[in-house]
Amino acid sequence: MAKSALSFVCQNCGAAYNRWQGKCEACGEWNTLSEEDTGATAMPASIRSRRKGRLFALETLTGKSHEAPRLPSGMAELDRVTGGGFVRGSVLLVGGDPGIGKSTLLTQATSLLARAGHRAVYISGEEAVAQVRLRAERLGLADAPVQLAAETSVEDIVSTLSEGAVPRLTVIDSIQTMWTDTVESAPGTVTQVRASAQSLIRFAKKTGAAIILVGHVTKDGQIAGPRVVEHMVDAVLSFEGEGSQQFRILRAVKNRFGPTDEIGVFEMTGLGLREVSNPSELFLSERDLGSPGTAVFAGIEGTRPVLVELQALVAPTSLGTPRRAVVGWDPSRLSMVLAVLEAHCGVKLSGHDVYLNVAGGLRIQEPAADLAAAAALVSSLANAPLPVDAVYFGEISLSGAVRPVAQTAARLKEAAKLGFGRAVLPESARGDGSGEAGMSLNPVANLTSLVADIAARGNARGSNGEKNATPARFRRQEG
């Protein structure tokens, strides 16, 4: 008689154990193991299936490669992130914090496709059909011929979608609420999420329908469930944003059919998400001109140049261990910049609290922001405002040298389009055609020269009796 196989599965990473234990050895989390029926059966080898494998054709490396047909969603920012539209038979996983606007974004996308004459289906496992209709009515999309359903059984969903014309786009909101008869675990567990996703992916590859799976996120912002689901799907999109900000960032973490780290910028309004075609102008719309501790960074997000303001605050501390707080940037990069400033530039920050913020809710990942962060920190410490028409970009090495970064010309072109007249950049950027933007370039070879320039400006302001501008902070110790 077949015997059910019970195991203890980690609800954080999906690792399985044959007995319960307090800590998962794979991910290091505590109290995440729960008993589940994996659905596997133990049977004698004599009655196991002995089906022969079928033959399949082998091809050579040479031959015509047909571009995968894409279906534009009607939203330019969404198409930018996906690489030009939805590919037939592709499966996308969209994750984001609760209430960030995932359902709003997908409701707008399905409505635009349905109005264009394509069959679009929205399956909700968390809300009733009436609740989805209320959202569509608030967004002004109630007349869109989107097919709705509130269902959680994967077998029923696949059978319904197989009837009639194949849907061009299907939204499953969310994958954590789905369940399948092939396993006996509760909905939301690792086993159910993995099995449900596999069934939906198999349907997409067989029929050519594009499917979007909505996933929950954990406390640290990672998509909940087993990491194997992220490897099973074709693209992983992260919907980011702060609750107090109206900006929303859709970022491609993984994409088999397009570039990664591409971003789409939206603005949350009363009528839904509005696309932002020029995010640099939006991020810099509320700049506090002439304030110390602010620097404009010319960055690259995917293939798009983006200008954003970095805000720094350096204040004396009364604590034994100074505070280091970062919002929107890697804390390790900040620690490295602070160490280089103190070791090579004589900037004493061991007795000061340091706060760094990326304005607008954008999260910066590239190391080219090192130079802008260093300029903002020194500007705040010396109480010396930076030029309002200058942008900064460059990577700082541990020796204090300013290293070159990619796509200098695109950064300068975007800065010139927004009215900036000068740029502080690595010295090696002189000969790469970056002067075509018509900007005044100030190349720096090492961080010491930039710190000296900002300190001199702060010293000049300090001569008028202003506070926090003493040049003694920048003097190297004798010997």
Side-chain angles (χ1 to χ4, degrees):
M1 181 177 178
K3 181 180 179 181
S4 299
L6 297 176
S7 62
F8 295 88
V9 181
C10 176
Q11 303 302 308
N12 184 59
C13 66
Y17 302 89
N18 56 2
R19 61 183 179 85
W20 185 90
Q21 56 191 40
K23 180 180 180 181
C24 175
E25 299 176 357
C27 63
E29 295 292 331
W30 288 86
N31 300 324
T32 57
L33 270 64
S34 63
E35 185 178 2
E36 295 184 9
D37 188 349
T38 60
T41 56
M43 60 183 64
S46 58
I47 62 175
R48 290 179 184 172
S49 174
R50 296 185 179 182
R51 181 184 67 87
K52 285 186 177 182
R54 65 178 180 85
L55 299 178
F56 57 89
L58 299 175
E59 300 182 5
T60 61
L61 294 176
T62 59
K64 295 183 179 180
S65 298
H66 300 282
E67 187 72 19
R70 294 182 179 270
L71 175 65
S73 64
M75 304 178 69
E77 293 298 308
L78 179 58
D79 291 339
R80 172 189 290 271
V81 177
T82 57
F86 302 115
V87 178
R88 290 181 178 271
S90 63
V91 180
L92 294 80
L93 179 62
V94 179
D97 295 331
I100 202 65
K102 300 185 298 296
S103 300
T104 301
L105 173 66
L106 298 179
T107 300
Q108 293 182 225
T110 52
S111 299
L112 291 175
L113 284 175
R115 285 177 175 177
H118 305 287
R119 184 188 179 192
V121 181
Y122 192 100
I123 306 295
S124 176
E126 300 178 345
E127 299 175 309
V129 173
Q131 294 173 310
V132 180
R133 287 173 176 169
L134 286 176
R135 182 189 303 115
E137 183 178 356
R138 176 176 58 86
L139 300 177
L141 303 173
D143 59 337
V146 178
Q147 298 178 338
L148 302 177
E151 184 58 55
T152 57
S153 174
V154 173
E155 284 76 16
D156 296 344
I157 294 174
V158 171
S159 299
T160 303
L161 297 179
S162 301
E163 293 292 328
V166 177
R168 296 299 303 274
L169 179 64
T170 302
V171 175
I172 305 296
D173 188 9
S174 65
I175 189 60
Q176 272 80 11
T177 60
M178 299 294 122
W179 62 276
T180 175
D181 294 333
T182 57
V183 294
E184 298 181 1
S185 302
T189 58
V190 169
T191 305
Q192 279 286 4
V193 171
R194 182 170 50 232
S196 300
Q198 181 60 46
S199 300
L200 294 171
I201 292 173
R202 190 182 303 114
F203 170 77
K205 301 302 180 184
K206 181 180 178 181
T207 61
I211 296 181
I212 299 180
L213 306 178
V214 179
H216 295 168
V217 296
T218 58
K219 294 182 295 183
D220 56 352
Q222 301 294 328
I223 296 180
R227 301 298 299 227
V228 68
V229 174
E230 299 186 22
H231 302 303
M232 293 161 55
V233 299
D234 299 304
V236 179
L237 309 181
S238 176
F239 206 36
E240 306 170 356
E242 299 292 337
S244 58
Q245 298 283 349
Q246 70 269 29
F247 312 128
R248 299 291 185 268
I249 309 296
L250 183 64
R251 186 186 303 272
V253 181
K254 168 193 172 182
N255 194 351
R256 291 175 179 166
F257 307 109
T260 57
D261 289 334
E262 189 69 69
I263 67 168
V265 184
F266 301 87
E267 182 182 6
M268 180 63 74
T269 65
L271 298 177
L273 293 169
R274 184 182 67 87
E275 300 179 66
V276 179
S277 58
N278 191 354
S280 300
E281 187 176 358
L282 184 63
F283 290 141
L284 300 178
S285 60
E286 299 180 0
R287 288 182 60 199
D288 190 5
L289 301 178
S291 297
T294 61
V296 177
F297 165 59
I300 296 290
E301 293 291 338
T303 60
R304 163 187 283 175
V306 177
L307 269 63
V308 66
E309 183 183 37
L310 297 186
Q311 302 172 348
L313 176 62
V314 180
T317 182
S318 59
L319 304 176
T321 302
R323 295 176 179 174
R324 302 289 187 260
V326 189
V327 177
W329 201 41
D330 186 6
S332 301
R333 301 295 303 184
L334 175 63
S335 300
M336 189 204 73
V337 171
L338 294 178
V340 173
L341 285 173
E342 186 149 357
H344 297 286
C345 304
V347 181
K348 304 303 179 183
L349 296 170
S350 57
H352 295 77
D353 293 331
V354 175
Y355 303 91
L356 187 68
N357 175 49
V358 180
L362 182 66
R363 296 182 182 179
I364 299 176
Q365 299 180 353
E366 61 171 337
D370 292 348
L371 195 64
L377 291 170
V378 178
S379 172
S380 176
L381 181 64
N383 197 18
L386 299 175
V388 296
D389 62 340
V391 296
Y392 299 80
F393 59 90
E395 181 182 356
I396 298 176
S397 65
L398 293 179
S399 63
V402 180
R403 297 171 55 87
V405 295
Q407 304 187 42
T408 300
R411 302 172 194 262
L412 295 179
K413 184 178 180 181
E414 179 71 12
K417 185 173 65 175
L418 293 179
F420 290 88
R422 68 181 76 178
V424 180
L425 70 170
E427 189 175 19
S428 59
R430 286 180 174 180
D432 59 356
S434 57
E436 299 177 358
M439 299 181 62
S440 175
L441 304 183
N442 181 19
V444 292
N446 53 71
L447 189 58
T448 306
S449 60
L450 178 63
V451 172
D453 180 64
I454 300 176
R457 189 180 299 110
N459 189 16
R461 296 179 70 251
S463 61
N464 296 330
E466 297 188 18
K467 299 173 61 178
N468 298 333
T470 57
R473 297 191 182 115
F474 302 95
R475 296 175 182 171
R476 294 184 180 273
Q477 295 180 354
E478 297 294 336

